[in-house]
């Protein structure tokens, strides 16, 4: 894409018979098929936004995070790439950088607003960039885009774009911590609040021109090494997973309703919960030797402390991260992320429905 737009700039300058302007401004025509990728969510998708917050850096700012692919810590919670990194590649886009990264950015390719620890609700974690704040940043970026292109071109680009989400898991882990013995009706009420606020966010994106929404749903929260470390014999904790299941049913229903009520609104949901269940139940089928204990961390199941709080504490590190499903207590290895990306991008209806991401990207929205 970079070279295409560059050539167009050069041509424009030649035809006009002008000397090259100081900056070849972004007022070029984007090829019609160019689909940007905007990413919102939590640590599963955060490429390093939290590095730029005025809080103590997270462990993902330190070795061994990033060791496999980047050879340095980037703020990603994995040994290597995350799902959006692979998806950008499949979409023929460059890797989408963190929105907060200083310096010029090509918003015509997209931007990543995700923040580790974030929830749909700000009260889930006030220290990071909650979904409403991510939306504020998104709106700021839309203004910049409209200035760089023009209103009509920006609108078209926002309409073709894909909006990829991973959000909700932290809200439910937080709720579970605070309301371990919540009643069924309290759980349902909380799911309603999360889905209600998420729906507001999706309608805002729709209002700004967004049409193509993709979700990675809430995972098998009770089988994370961090959840196992709190149970007898390291069994999966049932309650957080039950919350995720309630959420995932409500999410599918909400998106279906939005598609039928908002003209042009289209979505895809990748069943992350199911993908992790399958790998937890049958690791070797997917090429993993270990799906309970994390590659990096200390204590039971190496559930925490990967990176050792900036080298102050000891932790264990496996030799081959690709043998493991989990890199740390809550996040997959690059190998796992690659498998998930393939399912999200090209998986059949039992993985990603009602269409996969490739089909969503290729849809022409009238
Ligand atoms: C929740 O219930 C279990 C058993 O039903 C009990 O052992 C536990 O202490 C309760 N937890 C809280 C936080 O009330
Ligand atoms: C959004 O979340 C707040 C709690 O932060 C809740 O009081 C409100 O009812 C939710 N809105 C919807 C539409 O569910």
């Amino acid at each position: 894409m970079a070279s295409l737009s560059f050539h167009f700039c050069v041509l424009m300058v030649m035809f006009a018979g002008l000397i090259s302007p100081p900056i070849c401004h972004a007022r070029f025509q984007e090829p019609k098929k160019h689909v940007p990728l905007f990413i919102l969510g939590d640590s599963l998708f955060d490429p390093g936004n939290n590095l730029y917050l005025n809080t103590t850096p997270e462990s993902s700012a330190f070795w061994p995070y990033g060791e496999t692919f980047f050879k340095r810590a980037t703020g990603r919670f994995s040994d290597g790439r995350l799902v959006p990194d692979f998806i950008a590649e499949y979409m023929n886009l460059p890797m989408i950088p963190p929105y907060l990264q200083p310096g010029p950015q090509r918003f015509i390719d997209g931007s990543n607003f995700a923040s580790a620890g974030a929830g749909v609700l700000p009260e889930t974690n006030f220290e990071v960039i909650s979904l409403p704040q991510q939306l504020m940043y998104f709106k700021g970026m839309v203004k910049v885009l409209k200035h760089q292109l023009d209103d009509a071109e920006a609108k078209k680009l926002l309409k073709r774009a894909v909006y990829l989400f991973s959000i909700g898991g932290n809200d439910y882990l937080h709720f579970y911590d605070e309301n371990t013995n919540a009643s069924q009706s309290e759980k349902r009420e909380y799911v309603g609040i999360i889905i209600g606020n998420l729906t507001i966010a999706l309608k805002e994106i729709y209002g700004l021109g967004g049409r193509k929404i993709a979700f990675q749903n809430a995972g098998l929260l009770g089988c994370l090494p961090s959840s196992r470390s709190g149970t007898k014999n390291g069994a999966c904790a049932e309650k957080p997973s039950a919350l995720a299941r309630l959420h995932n049913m409500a999410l599918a229903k909400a998106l279906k309703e939005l598609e039928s009520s908002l003209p042009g609104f289209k979505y895809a949901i990748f069943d992350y919960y199911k993908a992790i269940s399958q790998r937890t139940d049958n690791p070797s089928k997917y090429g993993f030797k270990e799906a309970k204990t994390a590659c990096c961390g200390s204590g039971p199941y190496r559930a925490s402390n990967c990176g050792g709080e900036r080298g102050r504490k000891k932790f264990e590190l496996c030799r081959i991260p690709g043998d493991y499903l989990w890199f740390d207590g809550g996040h997959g290895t690059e190998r796992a992320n690659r498998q998930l990306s393939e399912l999200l991008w090209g998986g059949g209806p039992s993985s990603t429905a009602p269409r996969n991401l490739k089909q969503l990207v290729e849809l022409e929205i009238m």
Side-chain angles (χ1 to χ4, degrees):
M1 272 312 138
S3 70
L4 262 182
S5 22
F6 173 75
H7 288 314
F8 191 87
C9 281
V10 172
L11 278 177
M12 210 168 63
V13 171
M14 279 169 33
F15 285 171
L18 299 169
I19 21 166
S20 183
I23 346 158
C24 189
H25 210 252
R27 212 168 264 278
F28 49 79
Q29 254 167 1
E30 271 298 301
K32 289 230 158 34
K33 288 279 161 64
H34 185 79
V35 177
L37 176 62
F38 297 109
I39 299 141
L40 299 102
D42 53 28
S43 55
L44 298 176
F45 286 4
D46 180 359
N49 277 308
N50 284 11
L51 297 182
Y52 306 104
L53 301 178
N54 286 330
T55 49
T56 7
E58 291 174 300
S59 56
S60 64
F62 303 94
W63 181 87
Y65 285 103
E67 62 166 358
T68 302
F69 182 77
F70 300 98
K71 312 294 175 198
R72 66 183 176 93
T74 61
R76 285 170 178 80
F77 277 93
S78 183
D79 57 306
R81 285 163 288 182
L82 305 183
V83 166
D85 299 320
F86 289 109
I87 296 300
E89 186 188 318
Y90 304 157
M91 290 173 72
N92 296 314
L93 295 169
M95 214 176 258
I96 308 297
Y99 174 74
L100 294 183
Q101 180 177 290
Q105 293 192 21
R106 281 176 53 93
F107 293 140
I108 54 168
D109 291 332
S111 192
N112 189 329
F113 303 90
S115 169
V120 172
L121 305 182
E123 53 264 39
T124 288
N125 189 343
F126 285 114
E127 298 193 335
V128 299
I129 316 162
S130 63
L131 186 61
Q133 181 63 45
Q134 292 181 31
L135 271 178
M136 302 274 281
Y137 284 142
F138 175 71
K139 284 181 209 161
M141 187 226 59
V142 168
K143 279 208 184 114
V144 173
L145 206 54
K146 287 187 169 170
H147 179 74
Q148 286 179 345
L149 309 167
D150 58 49
D151 272 28
E153 278 306 312
K155 205 85 201 242
K156 280 187 214 162
L157 203 65
L158 292 169
K159 197 173 179 183
R160 285 201 300 271
V162 164
Y163 302 81
L164 179 60
F165 288 79
S166 162
I167 196 84
N170 290 319
D171 297 288
Y172 293 104
L173 289 171
H174 175 76
F175 177 81
Y176 172 68
D177 277 348
E178 310 250 296
N179 311 274
T180 307
N181 291 329
S183 69
Q184 199 60 22
S185 71
E186 285 166 335
K187 288 180 201 167
R188 286 191 185 284
E189 187 191 2
Y190 188 72
V191 171
I193 288 171
I194 299 302
I195 296 294
N197 281 274
L198 197 47
T199 303
I200 293 171
L202 295 176
K203 285 183 173 167
E204 274 196 63
I205 288 179
Y206 181 84
L208 292 161
R211 293 295 178 269
K212 300 179 179 185
I213 306 290
F215 268 84
Q216 171 167 309
N217 73 8
L220 184 61
L221 300 174
C223 298
L224 297 172
S226 60
S227 297
R228 286 186 192 273
S229 69
T231 66
K232 244 195 247 166
N233 310 323
C236 294
E238 180 43 38
K239 287 174 182 176
S241 300
L243 282 166
R245 285 196 300 275
L246 275 181
H247 170 82
N248 289 343
M249 280 190 288
L251 176 70
K253 185 160 171 269
L255 286 169
K256 197 171 179 185
E257 282 168 10
L258 287 173
E259 189 166 296
S260 62
S261 65
L262 303 175
F265 182 100
K266 299 286 171 194
Y267 71 96
I269 302 175
F270 162 51
D271 198 346
Y272 175 54
Y273 184 102
K274 185 177 179 182
I276 294 299
S277 303
Q278 291 170 332
R279 284 157 182 76
T280 299
D281 292 346
N282 202 348
S284 63
K285 183 174 170 193
Y286 300 92
F288 298 106
K289 292 188 176 141
E290 178 58 54
K292 282 186 182 167
T293 295
C295 166
C296 176
S298 54
Y301 304 96
R302 296 182 186 153
S304 59
N305 196 37
C306 176
E309 295 181 15
R310 281 153 274 149
R312 287 201 303 265
K313 288 187 183 168
K314 283 201 176 136
F315 62 91
E316 298 165 82
L317 177 64
C318 71
R319 208 166 54 81
I320 306 174
D323 285 347
Y324 288 71
L325 177 61
W326 301 109
F327 185 64
D328 69 8
H331 309 95
T333 54
E334 175 176 278
R335 181 172 196 189
N337 290 335
R338 180 193 287 278
Q339 293 182 3
L340 301 173
S341 307
E342 285 168 0
L343 291 171
L344 166 59
W345 178 250
S350 67
S351 304
T352 309
R355 54 184 73 76
N356 61 33
L357 191 55
K358 181 168 187 286
Q359 293 166 328
L360 186 70
V361 166
E362 287 167 357
L363 274 183
E364 291 227 22
I365 310 280
M366 289 304 131

